[in-house]
């Protein structure tokens, strides 16, 4: 295919739609989806449920729906967005954490698969709707991540029902006569080690044996993608072989063909995204050279929130001499995107490109400093398609109630003094 994105395409997009701007390459999303599917081709029934929270633009959701993906959702709003994007309710799984019984009831009424992650709600939901099939989220207490900020499988994690509580869980299921049709885990957002993942999977298989009517086992996500040169990437092909074989073995043992489910976010969309921003100021201090861009953590918070390292390229001067820069934003806070990065020489007005800007970038953007959230553009079949407009001043004030007349008396009091 010759429709792969080039530097000149990105620069044209920045020119046409302004900066900053998010750009997503549909081809990369499609190839990642196919890669994951192919890695598990030894399994009879595979279900990928794209984690909407990574990148929830409705056109991106439509793309994934058209590929045959299901949708993993964490709020009733994401459920509704999925339905609006054309997902069938039975292809949506609702995997929230700490939400109210009412929200779970609403999602269930829309016909989506419910996944419950605590015993209190399980007992209440099971008591009220014993006929609705429910998946349960198990916490196997395995640390599959390298970064403690994003590993959720450990003992003090708020996610999932502890494997140590299985006896209590079984008692609730027995007393309510509810139907458990799936077992789920999501151990964190960075699987470094396939063996750790397989170890956690054994705990899931062991748990699964307690339930007679399962349709699927959901292994969550946490596939690692490379963010910087030399980064380790989950060996999906190896995981596919090893887990696939073990899964098939388990199904024999279990006596029924089950569906193997995953809910990847980052793996599918991270590398497809680029974030383009313009350098407003190059500022030399006694210790460093700052490149200040027309953005901040209001648009891209991962570097500040997770110490995530996004590669930064200077699109305007790709062959320039490399120098060390600290790339910072224009927000009135410390908003350092990167320190001491080697980047092709930067001049004011240059366009910088942040790589891996597909997952948890736009969806975490805010209006801090009363700035607009940027537009989103999809690169598809060699064409740039606007899929979200830049916000305007009207968007900023849309929901504000501008109460004008209640302070009149204050003025009178002040002037009376
Ligand atoms: C966020 C989330 C995912 C996606 O994780 P990635 O690291 O983006 O693949 C999957 N499952 C659940 C329950 C999640 O909360």
């Amino acid at each position: 295919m010759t429709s792969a994105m080039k530097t000149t395409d990105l620069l044209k997009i920045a020119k046409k739609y302004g900066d900053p701007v998010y750009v997503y390459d549909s081809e990369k999303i499609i190839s990642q989806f196919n890669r994951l599917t192919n890695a598990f081709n030894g399994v009879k029934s595979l279900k990928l449920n794209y984690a909407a929270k990574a990148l929830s633009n409705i056109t991106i959701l439509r793309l994934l729906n058209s590929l045959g993906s299901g949708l993993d959702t964490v709020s009733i709003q994401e459920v509704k967005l999925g339905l609006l994007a054309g997902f069938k309710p039975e292809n949506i799984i609702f995997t929230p954490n700490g939400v109210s019984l009412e929200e779970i009831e609403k999602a269930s009424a829309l016909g989506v698969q419910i996944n419950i992650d605590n015993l209190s709600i399980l007992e209440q939901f099971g008591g009220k709707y014993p006929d609705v099939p429910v998946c349960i989220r198990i916490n196997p207490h395995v640390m599959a991540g390298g970064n403690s900020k994003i590993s959720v499988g450990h003992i003090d994690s708020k996610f999932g029902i502890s494997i140590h509580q299985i006896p209590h869980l079984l008692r609730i299921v027995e007393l309510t006569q509810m139907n458990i049709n799936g077992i789920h885990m999501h151990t964190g957002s960075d699987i470094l080690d396939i063996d750790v993942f397989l170890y956690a999977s054994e705990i899931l298989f062991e748990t699964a044996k307690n339930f007679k009517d399962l349709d699927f086992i959901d292994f969550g996500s946490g596939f690692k993608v490379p963010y910087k040169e030399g980064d380790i990437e989950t060996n999906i092909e190896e995981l596919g072989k090893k887990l696939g074989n073990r899964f098939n073995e388990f199904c024999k043992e279990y006596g029924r063909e089950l569906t193997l489910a995953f809910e990847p976010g980052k793996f599918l969309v991270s590398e497809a995204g680029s974030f383009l921003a313009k350098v407003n100021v190059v500022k030399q201090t006694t210790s460093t050279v700052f490149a200040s861009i027309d953005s901040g953590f209001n648009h891209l918070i991962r570097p500040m929130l997770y110490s995530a390292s996004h590669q930064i390229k200077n699109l305007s001067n790709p062959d320039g001499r490399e120098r060390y820069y600290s790339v910072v934003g224009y927000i009135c806070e410390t908003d350092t995107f990167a320190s001491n990065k080697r980047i092709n020489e930067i001049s004011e007005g240059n366009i910088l490109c942040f790589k891996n800007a597909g997952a948890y970038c736009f969806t975490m953007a805010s209006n801090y400093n009363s700035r607009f959230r940027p537009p989103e553009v999809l690169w598809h079949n060699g064409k740039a398609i606007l899929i979200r407009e830049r916000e305007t001043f009207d968007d900023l004030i849309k929901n504000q109630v501008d109460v004008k007349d209640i302070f009149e008396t204050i003025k009178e009091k002040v002037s009376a003094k």
Side-chain angles (χ1 to χ4, degrees), residues 290-411:
F290 287 106
S292 304
I293 60 172
D294 61 350
S295 183
F297 66 60
N298 50 326
H299 297 148
L300 177 57
I301 201 173
R302 298 189 74 260
M304 302 83 181
L305 191 60
Y306 303 123
S307 307
S309 176
H310 289 255
Q311 271 194 64
I312 304 171
K313 303 271 181 212
N314 183 358
L315 299 184
S316 307
N317 187 20
D319 302 317
R321 185 165 58 97
E322 285 192 347
R323 297 191 59 192
Y324 286 103
Y325 291 97
S326 290
V327 179
V328 295
Y330 62 6
I331 290 297
C332 296
E333 299 262 356
T334 301
D335 57 352
T336 307
F337 289 104
S339 302
N340 305 321
K341 279 259 169 130
R342 279 174 76 85
I343 302 173
N344 299 107
E345 185 150 22
I346 298 174
S347 309
E348 291 175 1
N350 283 173
I351 300 290
L352 302 189
C353 173
F354 291 74
K355 304 280 203 178
N356 284 76
Y360 308 106
C361 292
F362 185 91
T363 49
M364 286 187 159
S366 75
N367 289 119
Y368 187 50
N369 277 206
S370 295
R371 297 285 186 182
F372 306 143
R373 274 175 291 191
E376 294 178 289
V377 171
L378 182 69
W379 180 260
H380 183 62
N381 287 342
K383 276 203 202 74
I385 304 159
L386 184 67
I387 59 172
R388 185 193 299 268
E389 299 191 25
R390 187 184 309 283
E391 285 179 329
T392 63
F393 192 71
D394 284 345
D395 293 317
L396 289 185
I397 55 170
K398 192 170 54 193
N399 294 325
Q400 299 198 46
V401 182
D402 185 5
V403 184
K404 294 189 177 97
D405 48 10
I406 54 169
F407 304 119
E408 291 302 317
T409 52
I410 294 181
K411 234 191 255 168

Side-chain angles (χ1 to χ4, degrees), residues 239-307:
L239 181 68
K241 270 207 189 74
K242 287 188 173 165
L243 182 60
N245 285 341
R246 180 64 189 97
F247 184 79
N248 291 339
E249 221 176 84
F250 176 78
C251 288
K252 274 204 201 100
E253 223 178 294
Y254 187 75
R256 175 137 60 116
E257 226 27 272
L258 298 173
T259 295
L260 190 167
F262 280 115
E263 44 198 37
K266 200 182 271 179
F267 182 82
L268 295 179
V269 299
S270 171
E271 293 165 283
S274 302
F275 180 57
L276 312 182
K278 186 160 67 199
V279 177
N280 283 334
V281 180
V282 176
K283 182 190 229 173
Q284 180 107 40
T285 68
T286 48
S287 59
T288 188
V289 184
F290 287 106
S292 304
I293 60 172
D294 61 350
S295 183
F297 66 60
N298 50 326
H299 297 148
L300 177 57
I301 201 173
R302 298 189 74 260
M304 302 83 181
L305 191 60
Y306 303 123
S307 307

Side-chain angles (χ1 to χ4, degrees), residues 51 53-54 72 74 95 137 159 184 186 188-190 220-223 263-267 359-360:
K53 73 178 188 291
D72 179 70
V74 293
T95 309
R137 179 171 184 170
F159 298 98
H184 167 272
H186 173 62
S189 263
D190 266 314
S221 180
F223 304 119
E263 44 198 37
K266 200 182 271 179
F267 182 82
Y360 308 106

Side-chain angles (χ1 to χ4, degrees), residues 28-311:
K28 185 66 188 176
I29 297 175
I30 296 166
S31 69
Q32 288 294 91
F33 187 87
N34 289 338
R35 193 177 149 205
L36 194 50
T37 305
N38 291 336
F40 284 87
N41 61 10
V43 172
K44 273 217 185 76
S45 174
L46 175 76
K47 183 88 201 172
L48 301 182
N49 296 312
Y50 167 60
K53 73 178 188 291
L55 176 57
S56 53
N57 184 293
I58 193 161
T59 305
I60 300 292
L61 299 186
R62 282 194 188 280
L63 168 63
L64 282 144
N65 186 29
S66 74
L67 295 175
S69 178
L71 197 68
D72 179 70
T73 56
V74 293
S75 70
I76 186 73
Q77 290 80 6
E78 281 188 356
V79 171
K80 289 180 179 172
L81 212 51
L83 292 171
L84 200 62
F87 285 91
K88 292 198 184 109
E90 61 266 32
N91 286 329
I92 298 178
I93 180 164
F94 186 46
T95 309
N97 170 258
V99 306
S100 66
L101 178 64
E102 291 73 36
E103 188 168 335
I104 290 176
E105 287 176 318
K106 276 184 195 155
S108 179
L110 293 171
V112 310
Q113 170 74 48
I114 300 299
N115 187 349
I116 294 181
D117 99 323
N118 65 84
L119 293 178
S120 169
I121 297 281
L122 188 76
E123 188 171 328
Q124 295 176 68
F125 191 88
K128 265 174 114 169
Y129 311 98
D131 297 331
V132 176
V134 165
C135 174
I136 43 174
R137 179 171 184 170
I138 299 298
N139 187 338
H141 300 307
V142 174
M143 286 265 278
N147 182 335
S148 61
K149 284 183 191 157
I150 42 182
S151 295
V152 293
H154 55 91
I155 194 86
D156 291 326
S157 160
K158 68 166 188 164
F159 298 98
I161 300 167
S162 165
I163 38 158
H164 306 303
Q165 291 177 309
I166 296 292
H168 190 179
L169 192 161
L170 291 175
R171 206 157 56 83
I172 290 171
V173 172
E174 196 188 313
L175 291 174
T176 58
Q177 290 288 298
M178 66 191 298
N179 170 13
I180 302 299
N181 71 336
I183 307 269
H184 167 272
M185 72 167 182
H186 173 62
T187 50
S189 263
D190 266 314
I191 300 173
L192 289 170
D193 189 336
I194 288 182
D195 290 332
V196 175
F197 193 77
L198 291 172
Y199 176 77
S201 304
E202 287 305 324
I203 295 171
L204 215 54
F205 290 136
E206 210 42 53
T207 308
K209 289 180 191 161
N210 291 297
F211 305 94
K212 299 182 308 291
D213 300 312
L214 294 183
D215 296 320
F216 66 95
I217 301 181
D218 187 333
F219 294 86
S221 180
F223 304 119
K224 194 167 164 55
V225 296
Y227 272 74
K228 51 180 190 289
E229 269 159 57
D231 258 1
I232 324 162
E233 181 181 11
T234 304
N235 187 336
I236 294 292
E237 287 70 25
E238 188 190 340
L239 181 68
K241 270 207 189 74
K242 287 188 173 165
L243 182 60
N245 285 341
R246 180 64 189 97
F247 184 79
N248 291 339
E249 221 176 84
F250 176 78
C251 288
K252 274 204 201 100
E253 223 178 294
Y254 187 75
R256 175 137 60 116
E257 226 27 272
L258 298 173
T259 295
L260 190 167
F262 280 115
E263 44 198 37
K266 200 182 271 179
F267 182 82
L268 295 179
V269 299
S270 171
E271 293 165 283
S274 302
F275 180 57
L276 312 182
K278 186 160 67 199
V279 177
N280 283 334
V281 180
V282 176
K283 182 190 229 173
Q284 180 107 40
T285 68
T286 48
S287 59
T288 188
V289 184
F290 287 106
S292 304
I293 60 172
D294 61 350
S295 183
F297 66 60
N298 50 326
H299 297 148
L300 177 57
I301 201 173
R302 298 189 74 260
M304 302 83 181
L305 191 60
Y306 303 123
S307 307
S309 176
H310 289 255
Q311 271 194 64

